[in-house]
Amino acid sequence: MWHWAAAASSLVIVIFLLVSRLRRRHPETHYDWGNIDLGDLSFPSGFLWGTATAAHQIEGGLTNNWSDFEEDRGLERSGAACEHWTLWRDDFQLLSDLGVGSYRFSVEWSRLEPEPGSWDEGEMRVYSDMVDDLVSRGIRPMVTLHHFSHPTWWEERGGFADRRNLPDFLSYCERVFDELSDRVEYWCTINEPTVFSAMGYTLGQFPPGKRGIRLTMRVMRNLMRGHAMVYRSLKGRRPECQLGVAKNVTLFDPASRWSPVDWLVARILEWLWNGSWRKGMTTGRMLGSRIPGAKDSLDFVGLNYYTHFLTGLFLPTATKELQFAKREHEVATEFGYPMYAEGFRRAIDFVSELGVPIEITENGVADAEDTLRPEHIRRHLWVVSEAIKEGHDIRSYHHWSLMDNFEWAEGYSMRFGLHAVDFQTQERALRKSGCLLYTSDAADEGLGVDLGGRRII
Ligand code: GCO
């Protein structure tokens, strides 16, 4: 009997030592924000301020994998969205009014190739006109080639779940690149590959609404294969162009920092969501497979940062069941997950290991009443400024988003815009905290910090 007691005691000691080691190696930083001067900001000359959007979320009138899924699942329809496809010139004036120097947007494959091999030159010309307009305004265009949406015919072939479909994706990317790369230098091949695969193939909340870990891992590998193919081809076509991936880095922290189970779930999700992707980019091997061309296939890394998830034994099987938890002192955003600006620095440190420049391609908060956004922007910009001071090569910050838009499975309930949108009238109204870069009026609101002639929140 006593030997069982001895064995149990030994096991407890081993687990305690393991958890103690994890606690030391993976600290969950929290700052005393009340004692930080958020006005103590500095950014290098040439640092670019911008905003980001995505075609399916703003253009309107699209028929693709997402519009099909919205109908199949009875979700709120994206429908007219922000009618950006007709209002884009007015929207680009909003960019100029904000004084941004960079604008990240995606092109919509289903517009350009509604049927296999059938290319719509008229729609392509509109994107070309958009690029010309941005350049004429002195705004750097950054184009995302795949931001969650693609043609119905490609989805019906299996999309990224079948590697035999990757040549379709490659030829689409090459066609767009050949049309725009004389004026567009910066490209994101794929937006948030982990979100796309986890939401579409594990949680089933994005198209095609599947649920399977092995299937998810296959999609993750194919997304990296697709990126690598596109990177190698486009780099060969115009070597001076800069290509990257807009990588969502969500952090996973154990709900209880003494629970071995919570730690186990946190480390597994951290590996699946972040570690396996970075390993693929640095070694060319991901989730047990060799990914040809993936090693060193980034000229920059796009970082999309929002929050951390607190993990426990319960593995969420659907967003609706995903109960966003927070630390007692943390403030929840309207999306449900907490504002956790400290995690931004952890995410920056993580992608810095790739050894390439960082472009912040998304950061923002769902906040219809604009009550949390000023503090959210101040804290996150302070974190970026501190990271730059400590040597991180961060080139830009793109706030998500220019205006309220279609928030995927959440429809229009989440308001991320620097501009509020009345979807009945399509009126855009600059939110008080939306004066990310401004020259005058927001100063009257007591917001903002003067950065040598340019004022930011
Ligand atoms: C994503 C996408 C954006 C979202 C934004 C707010 O992360 O899902 O890149 O399309 O709208 O992040 O959730």
mmCIF file of all heavy atoms in Angstrom, residues 54 57 147-148 191-192 195 248 304 306 335 337 362 400 405 407-408 416, ligand 1:
data_model
loop_
_atom_site.group_PDB
_atom_site.id
_atom_site.type_symbol
_atom_site.label_atom_id
_atom_site.label_comp_id
_atom_site.label_asym_id
_atom_site.label_seq_id
_atom_site.Cartn_x
_atom_site.Cartn_y
_atom_site.Cartn_z
ATOM 1 N N ALA A 54 -11.162 44.287 -45.756
ATOM 2 C CA ALA A 54 -11.161 43.067 -46.578
ATOM 3 C C ALA A 54 -12.362 43.108 -47.505
ATOM 4 O O ALA A 54 -13.448 43.586 -47.105
ATOM 5 C CB ALA A 54 -11.205 41.825 -45.699
ATOM 6 N N GLN A 57 -15.889 41.946 -46.581
ATOM 7 C CA GLN A 57 -16.455 42.648 -45.428
ATOM 8 C C GLN A 57 -16.960 44.047 -45.761
ATOM 9 O O GLN A 57 -17.758 44.608 -45.004
ATOM 10 C CB GLN A 57 -15.411 42.720 -44.317
ATOM 11 C CG GLN A 57 -15.023 41.346 -43.787
ATOM 12 C CD GLN A 57 -13.999 41.418 -42.695
ATOM 13 O OE1 GLN A 57 -12.797 41.339 -42.943
ATOM 14 N NE2 GLN A 57 -14.442 41.558 -41.477
ATOM 15 N N HIS A 147 -8.348 36.718 -48.378
ATOM 16 C CA HIS A 147 -8.816 37.109 -47.032
ATOM 17 C C HIS A 147 -10.123 36.375 -46.754
ATOM 18 O O HIS A 147 -11.210 36.934 -46.795
ATOM 19 C CB HIS A 147 -9.003 38.621 -46.950
ATOM 20 C CG HIS A 147 -9.102 39.109 -45.521
ATOM 21 N ND1 HIS A 147 -8.318 40.111 -44.988
ATOM 22 C CD2 HIS A 147 -9.916 38.712 -44.515
ATOM 23 C CE1 HIS A 147 -8.635 40.313 -43.723
ATOM 24 N NE2 HIS A 147 -9.601 39.486 -43.402
ATOM 25 N N PHE A 148 -10.012 35.067 -46.547
ATOM 26 C CA PHE A 148 -11.092 34.150 -46.140
ATOM 27 C C PHE A 148 -12.064 33.796 -47.273
ATOM 28 O O PHE A 148 -12.782 32.808 -47.166
ATOM 29 C CB PHE A 148 -11.916 34.701 -44.983
ATOM 30 C CG PHE A 148 -11.177 34.867 -43.695
ATOM 31 C CD1 PHE A 148 -11.709 35.637 -42.677
ATOM 32 C CD2 PHE A 148 -9.950 34.258 -43.475
ATOM 33 C CE1 PHE A 148 -11.047 35.789 -41.459
ATOM 34 C CE2 PHE A 148 -9.275 34.406 -42.274
ATOM 35 C CZ PHE A 148 -9.832 35.174 -41.274
ATOM 36 N N ASN A 191 -4.442 35.842 -45.567
ATOM 37 C CA ASN A 191 -4.788 36.426 -44.280
ATOM 38 C C ASN A 191 -5.141 35.335 -43.265
ATOM 39 O O ASN A 191 -6.026 34.515 -43.513
ATOM 40 C CB ASN A 191 -5.999 37.355 -44.422
ATOM 41 C CG ASN A 191 -6.432 37.912 -43.076
ATOM 42 O OD1 ASN A 191 -5.770 38.767 -42.506
ATOM 43 N ND2 ASN A 191 -7.529 37.407 -42.543
ATOM 44 N N GLU A 192 -4.408 35.337 -42.170
ATOM 45 C CA GLU A 192 -4.736 34.527 -40.995
ATOM 46 C C GLU A 192 -5.022 33.056 -41.336
ATOM 47 O O GLU A 192 -6.131 32.526 -41.114
ATOM 48 C CB GLU A 192 -5.936 35.133 -40.272
ATOM 49 C CG GLU A 192 -5.659 36.530 -39.817
ATOM 50 C CD GLU A 192 -6.589 36.990 -38.715
ATOM 51 O OE1 GLU A 192 -7.622 36.372 -38.490
ATOM 52 O OE2 GLU A 192 -6.246 37.996 -38.067
ATOM 53 N N VAL A 195 -6.672 31.118 -38.473
ATOM 54 C CA VAL A 195 -8.083 31.440 -38.211
ATOM 55 C C VAL A 195 -8.943 30.767 -39.276
ATOM 56 O O VAL A 195 -9.951 30.121 -38.982
ATOM 57 C CB VAL A 195 -8.312 32.966 -38.216
ATOM 58 C CG1 VAL A 195 -9.806 33.296 -38.153
ATOM 59 C CG2 VAL A 195 -7.579 33.622 -37.061
ATOM 60 N N ASN A 248 -2.318 35.946 -37.730
ATOM 61 C CA ASN A 248 -2.982 36.236 -36.463
ATOM 62 C C ASN A 248 -2.222 35.519 -35.342
ATOM 63 O O ASN A 248 -2.091 34.290 -35.378
ATOM 64 C CB ASN A 248 -4.432 35.743 -36.504
ATOM 65 C CG ASN A 248 -5.115 35.856 -35.140
ATOM 66 O OD1 ASN A 248 -4.800 35.078 -34.230
ATOM 67 N ND2 ASN A 248 -6.004 36.800 -34.996
ATOM 68 N N ASN A 304 -1.329 40.305 -37.081
ATOM 69 C CA ASN A 304 -2.686 40.673 -36.645
ATOM 70 C C ASN A 304 -2.802 40.284 -35.179
ATOM 71 O O ASN A 304 -2.698 39.092 -34.853
ATOM 72 C CB ASN A 304 -3.739 39.893 -37.440
ATOM 73 C CG ASN A 304 -3.800 40.279 -38.905
ATOM 74 O OD1 ASN A 304 -3.024 41.118 -39.353
ATOM 75 N ND2 ASN A 304 -4.713 39.674 -39.658
ATOM 76 N N TYR A 306 -4.996 40.695 -31.420
ATOM 77 C CA TYR A 306 -6.214 41.124 -30.733
ATOM 78 C C TYR A 306 -6.232 40.817 -29.245
ATOM 79 O O TYR A 306 -6.639 41.659 -28.447
ATOM 80 C CB TYR A 306 -7.448 40.505 -31.409
ATOM 81 C CG TYR A 306 -7.692 41.113 -32.768
ATOM 82 C CD1 TYR A 306 -7.134 40.546 -33.920
ATOM 83 C CD2 TYR A 306 -8.422 42.294 -32.905
ATOM 84 C CE1 TYR A 306 -7.314 41.128 -35.165
ATOM 85 C CE2 TYR A 306 -8.609 42.895 -34.143
ATOM 86 C CZ TYR A 306 -8.039 42.299 -35.270
ATOM 87 O OH TYR A 306 -8.212 42.887 -36.501
ATOM 88 N N PHE A 335 -16.623 41.991 -28.269
ATOM 89 C CA PHE A 335 -16.527 40.667 -28.892
ATOM 90 C C PHE A 335 -16.582 39.576 -27.817
ATOM 91 O O PHE A 335 -16.895 38.424 -28.075
ATOM 92 C CB PHE A 335 -15.233 40.551 -29.703
ATOM 93 C CG PHE A 335 -15.369 39.671 -30.920
ATOM 94 C CD1 PHE A 335 -15.313 40.203 -32.198
ATOM 95 C CD2 PHE A 335 -15.567 38.308 -30.786
ATOM 96 C CE1 PHE A 335 -15.441 39.395 -33.329
ATOM 97 C CE2 PHE A 335 -15.702 37.485 -31.900
ATOM 98 C CZ PHE A 335 -15.632 38.032 -33.172
ATOM 99 N N TYR A 337 -13.825 38.702 -25.808
ATOM 100 C CA TYR A 337 -12.468 38.474 -25.303
ATOM 101 C C TYR A 337 -11.938 39.783 -24.692
ATOM 102 O O TYR A 337 -12.436 40.869 -24.994
ATOM 103 C CB TYR A 337 -11.547 37.943 -26.399
ATOM 104 C CG TYR A 337 -11.525 38.719 -27.698
ATOM 105 C CD1 TYR A 337 -10.896 39.957 -27.791
ATOM 106 C CD2 TYR A 337 -12.133 38.199 -28.836
ATOM 107 C CE1 TYR A 337 -10.874 40.666 -28.978
ATOM 108 C CE2 TYR A 337 -12.110 38.897 -30.034
ATOM 109 C CZ TYR A 337 -11.472 40.129 -30.106
ATOM 110 O OH TYR A 337 -11.457 40.832 -31.296
ATOM 111 N N GLU A 362 -3.057 44.218 -38.607
ATOM 112 C CA GLU A 362 -4.366 44.413 -37.967
ATOM 113 C C GLU A 362 -4.214 44.567 -36.452
ATOM 114 O O GLU A 362 -3.475 43.815 -35.839
ATOM 115 C CB GLU A 362 -5.300 43.219 -38.209
ATOM 116 C CG GLU A 362 -5.928 43.168 -39.558
ATOM 117 C CD GLU A 362 -6.878 41.985 -39.686
ATOM 118 O OE1 GLU A 362 -7.550 41.629 -38.703
ATOM 119 O OE2 GLU A 362 -6.907 41.390 -40.789
ATOM 120 N N TRP A 400 -7.443 48.049 -37.474
ATOM 121 C CA TRP A 400 -8.636 47.370 -38.011
ATOM 122 C C TRP A 400 -9.856 47.974 -37.344
ATOM 123 O O TRP A 400 -10.014 47.837 -36.126
ATOM 124 C CB TRP A 400 -8.616 45.861 -37.736
ATOM 125 C CG TRP A 400 -9.818 45.222 -38.351
ATOM 126 C CD1 TRP A 400 -11.052 45.057 -37.792
ATOM 127 C CD2 TRP A 400 -9.910 44.724 -39.693
ATOM 128 N NE1 TRP A 400 -11.899 44.502 -38.704
ATOM 129 C CE2 TRP A 400 -11.238 44.291 -39.871
ATOM 130 C CE3 TRP A 400 -9.020 44.597 -40.764
ATOM 131 C CZ2 TRP A 400 -11.697 43.746 -41.073
ATOM 132 C CZ3 TRP A 400 -9.468 44.065 -41.954
ATOM 133 C CH2 TRP A 400 -10.784 43.637 -42.106
ATOM 134 N N ASN A 405 -17.852 47.075 -40.526
ATOM 135 C CA ASN A 405 -18.068 46.217 -41.690
ATOM 136 C C ASN A 405 -18.627 44.869 -41.254
ATOM 137 O O ASN A 405 -18.925 44.657 -40.079
ATOM 138 C CB ASN A 405 -16.750 46.052 -42.466
ATOM 139 C CG ASN A 405 -15.629 45.515 -41.593
ATOM 140 O OD1 ASN A 405 -15.766 44.445 -41.012
ATOM 141 N ND2 ASN A 405 -14.542 46.261 -41.476
ATOM 142 N N GLU A 407 -18.632 41.408 -39.956
ATOM 143 C CA GLU A 407 -17.697 40.686 -39.100
ATOM 144 C C GLU A 407 -17.971 39.186 -39.120
ATOM 145 O O GLU A 407 -18.241 38.548 -38.106
ATOM 146 C CB GLU A 407 -17.761 41.214 -37.672
ATOM 147 C CG GLU A 407 -16.811 40.540 -36.689
ATOM 148 C CD GLU A 407 -15.353 40.532 -37.144
ATOM 149 O OE1 GLU A 407 -14.918 41.510 -37.774
ATOM 150 O OE2 GLU A 407 -14.682 39.522 -36.894
ATOM 151 N N TRP A 408 -17.938 38.618 -40.320
ATOM 152 C CA TRP A 408 -18.020 37.177 -40.485
ATOM 153 C C TRP A 408 -19.201 36.533 -39.750
ATOM 154 O O TRP A 408 -20.343 37.000 -39.920
ATOM 155 C CB TRP A 408 -16.671 36.526 -40.135
ATOM 156 C CG TRP A 408 -15.530 37.210 -40.814
ATOM 157 C CD1 TRP A 408 -14.541 37.943 -40.260
ATOM 158 C CD2 TRP A 408 -15.270 37.259 -42.237
ATOM 159 N NE1 TRP A 408 -13.685 38.438 -41.214
ATOM 160 C CE2 TRP A 408 -14.101 38.034 -42.430
ATOM 161 C CE3 TRP A 408 -15.909 36.720 -43.362
ATOM 162 C CZ2 TRP A 408 -13.567 38.290 -43.702
ATOM 163 C CZ3 TRP A 408 -15.393 36.982 -44.629
ATOM 164 C CH2 TRP A 408 -14.220 37.740 -44.788
ATOM 165 N N PHE A 416 -15.960 47.614 -35.512
ATOM 166 C CA PHE A 416 -14.505 47.813 -35.389
ATOM 167 C C PHE A 416 -14.030 49.101 -36.048
ATOM 168 O O PHE A 416 -12.842 49.397 -36.049
ATOM 169 C CB PHE A 416 -13.763 46.648 -36.051
ATOM 170 C CG PHE A 416 -13.661 45.396 -35.220
ATOM 171 C CD1 PHE A 416 -14.661 44.428 -35.256
ATOM 172 C CD2 PHE A 416 -12.548 45.166 -34.405
ATOM 173 C CE1 PHE A 416 -14.557 43.257 -34.496
ATOM 174 C CE2 PHE A 416 -12.443 43.999 -33.649
ATOM 175 C CZ PHE A 416 -13.451 43.046 -33.696
HETATM 176 C C1 GCO B 1 -9.891 38.334 -38.685
HETATM 177 C C2 GCO B 1 -9.819 39.097 -39.901
HETATM 178 C C3 GCO B 1 -10.669 40.336 -39.915
HETATM 179 C C4 GCO B 1 -11.598 40.541 -38.714
HETATM 180 C C5 GCO B 1 -10.895 41.296 -37.614
HETATM 181 C C6 GCO B 1 -11.824 41.510 -36.411
HETATM 182 O O1 GCO B 1 -8.983 38.433 -37.854
HETATM 183 O O2 GCO B 1 -10.857 37.583 -38.563
HETATM 184 O O3 GCO B 1 -8.528 39.396 -40.367
HETATM 185 O O4 GCO B 1 -11.381 40.090 -41.086
HETATM 186 O O5 GCO B 1 -12.722 41.263 -39.133
HETATM 187 O O6 GCO B 1 -9.791 40.586 -37.173
HETATM 188 O O7 GCO B 1 -12.158 40.267 -35.853
#
